[in-house]
Amino acid sequence: MPSILKECHVTPREIFLNRRRFIQGGVSAALAMTALSGARHAVADDRAWSGTPVLREKLSTLSPAWERDDRVTPPQYHREYANFYEFGPNKDDPWERAGQLTVEPWKVRVDGLVDKPGDYWFDDLIREAALEERIYRFRCVEAWSMVVPWVGISLASVIKRLQPHSDARYVAFETAVKRDEMPGVSRALVRIDWPYREGLRMDEALHPLALLAVGAYGEPLYKANGAPIRLVVPWKYGFKSIKSIVRIHFTREQPETTWNTLAPDEYGFYANVNPEVDHPRWSQRTERRIPGGGFLGLSREETLPFNGYAEQVAGLYAGMDLRRWY
Ligand code: MTE
């Protein structure tokens, strides 16, 4: 699929290429380290997921365009700067700790108001679907942003196969809770009532931009980024894009969602990117594109309504007061 991204900050080519040289240097250094310490090498490898045979086969037929797209955030920034509270509250916690997460075998439970409930193996969910690369802006409510080349299947195609009932008005999602592998789950520091939960109105979930991602940068998802399967809703703040999904539930009522339940004054259910409605701690008028340009990488750019996807999605909210339904 061609890039849906229209205008965005362009990460200067030199920075991108320099980073690549840096990575290549890093790879040689890492190999040298391996000779010294086999154990360290094993930890580094665990962070990546090699994918199931079905996913690898589908990926091999994809011709990723991201390497030719200067706007894309270099992959290591996406992997190493992440929010995944199951591994802790710091941006580098997922990268440091998610290696121990087991993502195979992986099952997703489908239940609620749906004709085809059941436990679906990861491969069964993706086998029939066309894998696409989608280069999307990704905007966190904390006012940083990236441009990520996701690889995934349209959420609508999966929902249609599952055949929800006509009275199913919402789709709810839950993340795995693996206490032995997710150190953040048992830490009192994080007040989340696990599992991490998210949800969409049915028309939002059926919108062609909503994606179930299984990869990024032409590879299976890294564990820090929500392997093996996560949601990506590019016109909403990043917290709606729930990672490592194990349950899809169809319901009549608006589901409870993690951040909205924790702090309803700060995080709405809709969470559409909106420069007009500030979060108490973060102005939403501008954003810091990672890795950042300008002096010390601190330059900011204007945030666009619906993260730049207004033309495609504004109609979903016609007649709604978006200050009230933030
Ligand atoms: N999903 C789960 N299960 N746990 C989380 O803590 N954090 C969310 C979202 N999905 C989160 C999650 C937030 S706040 C953001 S900004 C994005 O994941 C970050 O996705 P990324 O690491 O791929 O950039």
Side-chain angles (χ1 to χ4, degrees):
M1 182 169 176
S3 165
I4 295 175
L5 198 131
K6 284 200 185 120
E7 66 259 300
C8 75
H9 168 86
V10 175
T11 303
R13 186 87 191 147
E14 318 80 72
I15 294 183
F16 185 69
L17 293 174
N18 279 336
R19 284 300 304 189
R20 292 199 141 183
R21 272 180 222 121
F22 169 78
I23 304 172
Q24 278 160 10
V27 170
S28 325
L31 289 174
M33 284 289 289
T34 309
L36 296 174
S37 160
R40 194 177 163 82
H41 183 60
V43 170
D45 274 352
D46 284 350
R47 293 164 175 166
W49 169 48
S50 53
T52 61
V54 173
L55 176 56
R56 280 201 297 275
E57 158 42 61
K58 282 177 169 283
L59 279 170
S60 69
T61 62
L62 202 76
S63 10
W66 72 269
E67 290 196 274
R68 297 188 298 278
D69 192 333
D70 284 349
R71 300 162 297 185
V72 164
T73 300
Q76 71 277 12
Y77 288 93
H78 182 232
R79 290 164 192 162
E80 296 179 29
Y81 187 90
N83 278 330
F84 200 166
Y85 280 75
E86 284 83 341
F87 296 97
N90 304 312
K91 295 284 177 289
D92 56 355
D93 286 340
W95 177 248
E96 295 296 333
R97 300 170 172 174
Q100 56 190 318
L101 179 69
T102 44
V103 296
E104 282 184 69
W106 193 270
K107 263 197 274 191
V108 178
R109 168 152 299 179
V110 173
D111 59 5
L113 304 172
V114 63
D115 270 354
K116 303 219 164 147
D119 288 337
Y120 290 80
W121 292 109
F122 172 84
D123 276 347
D124 295 332
L125 276 179
I126 66 158
R127 201 184 306 273
E128 305 298 324
L131 212 57
E132 299 170 40
E133 180 184 62
R134 303 242 190 126
I135 300 177
Y136 282 160
R137 275 185 292 270
F138 189 80
R139 170 66 156 80
C140 179
V141 72
E142 296 162 342
W144 53 263
S145 62
M146 300 191 189
V147 177
V148 181
W150 303 103
V151 175
I153 56 182
S154 103
L155 176 59
S157 70
V158 173
I159 291 180
K160 283 175 191 157
R161 256 176 59 215
L162 299 173
Q163 299 178 9
H165 299 168
S166 56
D167 54 348
R169 295 183 50 226
Y170 295 88
V171 195
F173 303 86
E174 285 180 16
T175 294
V177 182
K178 298 189 180 217
R179 286 181 193 279
D180 295 344
E181 301 175 6
M182 296 173 149
V185 166
S186 13
R187 280 175 67 183
L189 195 62
V190 185
R191 291 177 297 133
I192 293 172
D193 176 22
W194 308 102
Y196 191 100
R197 297 182 186 86
E198 258 312 329
L200 297 172
R201 223 170 51 189
M202 185 62 85
D203 58 343
E204 297 179 311
L206 291 174
H207 192 280
L209 290 184
L211 189 74
L212 275 175
V214 294
Y217 300 91
E219 294 179 16
L221 278 176
Y222 269 64
K223 294 176 184 176
N225 299 121
I229 187 160
R230 54 104 39 101
L231 190 64
V232 178
V233 195
W235 68 96
K236 293 178 180 281
Y237 292 119
F239 67 85
K240 297 294 289 183
S241 292
I242 181 172
K243 296 176 169 179
S244 306
I245 295 169
V246 289
R247 186 176 176 210
I248 303 178
H249 178 75
F250 294 91
T251 163
R252 198 174 293 113
E253 288 81 35
Q254 181 178 303
E256 290 200 348
T257 55
T258 292
W259 292 103
N260 181 234
T261 308
L262 257 178
D265 295 343
E266 298 185 20
Y267 309 99
F269 172 80
Y270 284 94
N272 293 317
V273 174
N274 189 347
E276 301 290 323
V277 177
D278 284 340
H279 180 277
R281 286 192 295 288
W282 304 289
S283 159
Q284 301 297 7
R285 292 227 161 261
T286 62
E287 62 199 60
R288 182 170 57 93
R289 175 66 46 79
I290 289 178
F295 181 62
L296 296 176
L298 291 175
S299 76
R300 302 185 75 84
E301 57 192 83
E302 287 195 2
T303 289
L304 302 171
F306 298 103
N307 203 22
Y309 300 100
E311 203 180 300
Q312 292 98 325
V313 301
L316 294 170
Y317 310 100
M320 276 174 76
D321 176 355
L322 296 178
R323 288 194 166 271
R324 175 160 181 233
W325 302 107
Y326 53 92

